[in-house]
Each structure stands twice: as structure tokens, then as C-alpha cells.
Amino acid sequence: MGDSERVPTIEAAGLTKRYGEVVAVDEVGLQVASGDIYALVGLNGAGKTTLIRMLLGMIAPTRGTVRVLGAEVSAGDRSAWARTGYLIDTPAAYSELTVRENLHLIARLRRLPGPAARVGEVIHRLALTPYADRRARTLSMGNAQRLALAKALIHRPDLLILDEPVNGLDPAGVVEIRNLLSGLAREHGTTVLLSSHLLGEVTRLATRIAVIHNGRLLTEIDPHRLHGQTRRLEVATRDDARAARVLAERGLSPAPAPAPGDGLVLAEEHAVEHPDRIATALVEAGCPPTRLVVREEDLEQYFLRLVGQADA
Amino acid sequence: MREALLAELLKVRRSLMPWLTAGTFTFVAAVCAIFMFILADPARARALGLLGDKAQLSGAAADWPGYLALLAQATGVGGLIIFGTVVTWLFGREFSDRTAKDLLALPTSRGAVVAAKFAVAAGWAVLLALWTAVLGLLAGIPLDLPGASSAVVAGGVARIVVTALLTLVLTTPFALAASAGRGYLPAVGAMFAAMFSAQVIAALGYGAFFPYSVPGLYAGIAGPGHDPPGPLGHLLVLAVGVAGVAATTIWWKRADHDR
């Protein structure tokens, strides 16, 4: 077992960023293992980009530490950047330079040997060949995003940090980038940390998903085990307040359903596995259920419920 | 540093900036030559319609020393705008075009990126000053002005280059304004504030102690009867330049790059 399998590629502990009274990132701790595709999902303004910029040493944390590829980023160690590719925010390029020149410039700043060959390779890989000698200002949004990804990939990095990598791409482009990223992780062991709003896309691609809201990391999900984590028992009675008391007395934690008047929701595994026992308990307490449904949430519903609970 | 320098040179080569700034200094040299042409023979200029009937010209002598001093003064005044624009463009464009973020986590350090930008600005300013001097000399030959000697020409050219260097040094705080202000506008504002203050403070008689007035006074803008600024003035210029470079480098290295 190599060191890379024991030491996380990214390790953040107690990461906090305050701007005056505003807490942009609040005590976030995360570990991303080598070869993982780790996705950050969250609403606009949740703190994803601030967190990513802290991981890249662009923003100094108010508190906490970041270690990337063994380098103490929060202490100013820059040694990880030769092995890290990144794309932050909206794609940008020097508009007066061609696609090839933009990539050549990055290859030079990354001190790559044989930059022309690397540029040609990444142009081909990102399907930018027809646009290689066009000025960046003439590119469509999708191709500008491809160019930004090409800049992140040109040095064959061990770690990719991508903020909204499929923004602006058409459906075929989204599939292409998904295949590219999963291929990099599978075949080359590249670690990928990405942020996205596209929950469906994230479920298909990521090996771990972190939900971030109001700067806090609410939970981490294994998408392959999402099934077990996102089943809920929905209970409706004629007196939900009384039913909630009865269930609470039995050690359960009933929560109001997202839509008012839709009854209660139970997340406990034993409740989901044995809805008959819940029905019996309610009948014995004199508030029989009028509806009892085991419902499986998709990531979108699960995410919205988590965020709703956090806000409450 | 070498990689960052080559990257900056590629950006500059592909931009309009070299053409626009060289064009502006060509215009400046041409205007100085025309002014000398008029001053050398006002009656001829009136006959050609270059000078109004009642216009009186004063403050410059129609000879080689006067002509080269005029070029140096134009370099000092125009230089603050042109060199300032170059520095503002080199730094401000990274924020206006949102490309700065791509320069922040690379094997090439942020310090090297900043140093490369200042080096390109300095190199280009020297080339522009030499271009202005050469153009001025070439344009001066057909004017047939009196007082030409190799010592006068060498001294005049040196004064143009030194004025350009003094002016260039004073533009480094505009790099900080463009970086911390994340775009062109704050730097342009700072540039005009510096220019305006230089004029007012020089007019009040304290120009020798105000860095932004020093290049103009060194070039002889106050006229032949006035002493050039002393060592303190030059030291203040140097202090502003060093502070501008240091503050810009520190800002790129330490500031939160959250946009």
C-alpha cells in the first residue's frame, strides 16, 4: 500500500472564513482520498467557491488548516500546485490569444517540458481541434469551458479541483466531460474535487458527495448507498401534533413534512423497515394513520430536505 | 521569472497596447517638431495658417537645446499617462478579464508574475523613450535649428530617457490600484489624481518635494530660470516606486483573491 492510499489527497480541518460578521465557511472538515471523485453540492452562496479557493490557497482561512497533496496550503506551501489542475468560477482566457496560444501560455507558466506536444494533446482530448487557431474571444460558452478544462488538464495533474466544470456545456459535452473525469479517476488515479448544482450529474459521477449550506458541511453521502440513506416513512393522521408526541415518546424523531398539512416524516431505519409497528403504536394511542408511505427520495429531494432542516 | 516574462511578452505582443502607445509617442514627437517649426519662424507659420494672427509664443527657444527640452517635458507629462496606462493595462486586465485566478496556484510564483509585469512595463517605457528621442532627432534635422552639437544631443537624449525613467518609477502605485481595485478604473482615477496634484503643487512652488512633480521639473517644465529638483525629490520618486512594487507584490501574495 503506497502513501497515497493512506494519506488523503485533500485534508481540511476546522476550515472557517469570516468576512466581518458574515461567516462564508464555517468549521468545514473534509478528507478526499486518492482517486476519489468528491462533489460539493450546495445552493448559490452556500460557500462552495470560497471553500475551493481556500483549498487552492487563494483565500487565507480565518481558522483551520488545509493540506493538499501533502503540502500545508494554509501555511503558504506552494509545492502542490505543480500537480494540481483547477478551474474556478466562470471560464476566462486571454481574448486576443488563440486557443493554442492560451494553452501554450499556461504550459509555459507550468514549466512543462515539450509544451507544444502537451498543447496538441490536450486540444485533441478536449475536442478543441477545430478551434485551436481561433481567438478565445470568438469561442462559444461551451468551448470557452472546454478551454478552461484544457488549462486544468494540460499538465496531467494528480488532483483536479473544478468549480462547476460542466457549466455551459451542451448535453453531449456534459456526458463527454463526465466520461473524461471518471476515466481519469479510474485509469490514472486522478483525484477530483468538483462543485456542481447539477445533482443528477453529481450522482452519476461522484464517489462521495458533500452537502454544503450556509458555509457548513451538512453531511457526506456515498451515492452508491444513497438508497439506504434517503428512504423515509411518511405518516399522516387526523391529529399530527398528537401523533408526533406519541412517536417521540417511543424514541423517534418525527419531523413535519416539507409541505404543510402533509403529516410527519420519520427517517429512522427501524421505522422505515417496520411501518406496521408505527401503525400499531398510533392505533393504540388513539390516532390511527390515514396515510403511511415509505418513500424514496432522489438526491434533489434529499438535498432540499436537508437544506430545509438546516434553515429550520 | 523567465516563464512569467515570456508569458507577459506573448500577451503584450498580441495586444493593441504597443501600437497605441508607440502611436501616441509618435504623435507627441510630431507635435513637438511642429511647435519648433512654428517657433523658428512665426511669420512663416502665420502664412501657412499654422499660427493665429494674434497668437504669441513664449517659454521655449527655437534651438536644439530648447527642442530637446520640449521633448523631455512632453515625455514627462505624456509619460505619466502612457506609462501609467501600460501598467494599468498589464495588471488591471487580469481582473477585468477574470484571468487573474489562473495565475494564482501555479509552479510559477505570484511574485514572479508581478515582477514580470513590472519588467515588461519598464522595458517598454525605455523603448518608448528612445523611440521618442530618435523620432525627435530625425524630425529636428529638416528644421535646421541652431545650437546642434554632439554634447547637446547626448545631453538632450539622456534627459528624455531619465525623465521617462523617473515617470515610469512613479507609475508603480497604479499597479496596486488596478490590482486591489480589481480593474482599470481605480488605477485611471489614481493616475488623474496624481497628474492633477503634480500640476497644482508645482504651481504652488513645492514641486521639488512632491514626487509626481519631479519628472516635469527635471525636464525643465518650469523654465530656464528654475533649479531642477534636488536629491530629496529624486529620493522621494524612488521611495514611491519601491513602495508601489512592494505593496503590489505583497497584495498579490497575501490578499484574499475572492473574485
Side-chain angles (χ1 to χ4, degrees), chain A residues 75-142:
Chain A
D77 187 345
R78 296 175 35 252
S79 61
W81 305 147
R83 296 164 59 203
T84 305
Y86 66 94
L87 185 169
I88 301 287
D89 229 342
T90 47
Y94 297 106
S95 57
E96 70 277 17
L97 303 188
T98 65
V99 167
R100 195 185 300 280
E101 286 170 336
N102 267 288
L103 290 167
H104 205 84
L105 189 143
I106 289 293
R108 205 177 270 292
L109 290 172
R110 288 201 167 277
R111 302 172 183 168
L112 300 182
R118 291 290 187 92
V119 168
E121 177 194 307
V122 81
I123 282 176
H124 175 71
R125 187 177 224 179
L126 271 297
L128 283 165
T129 308
Y131 313 100
D133 296 311
R134 281 202 201 167
R135 287 182 192 250
R137 74 165 72 99
T138 66
L139 295 179
S140 66
M141 195 179 165

Side-chain angles (χ1 to χ4, degrees), chain B residues 21 48 66 100 115 122 145 190 202 214 235 240 250 257:
Chain B
T21 49
L48 290 171
L145 297 169
V214 167
L235 206 63
V240 168
I250 290 168
H257 295 274

Side-chain angles (χ1 to χ4, degrees), chain B residues 49-77:
Chain B
L50 291 172
L51 188 65
D53 286 343
K54 293 180 182 172
Q56 296 293 322
L57 293 176
S58 61
D63 54 17
W64 273 101
Y67 175 47
L68 292 170
L70 183 65
L71 280 169
Q73 290 154 27
T75 304
V77 176

Side-chain angles (χ1 to χ4, degrees), chain A residues 36-57:
Chain A
D36 259 7
I37 300 181
Y38 189 97
L40 292 171
V41 297
L43 303 173
N44 288 335
K48 303 187 296 290
T49 302
T50 304
L51 175 58
I52 284 179
R53 283 182 183 258
M54 281 199 283
L55 298 181
L56 285 164

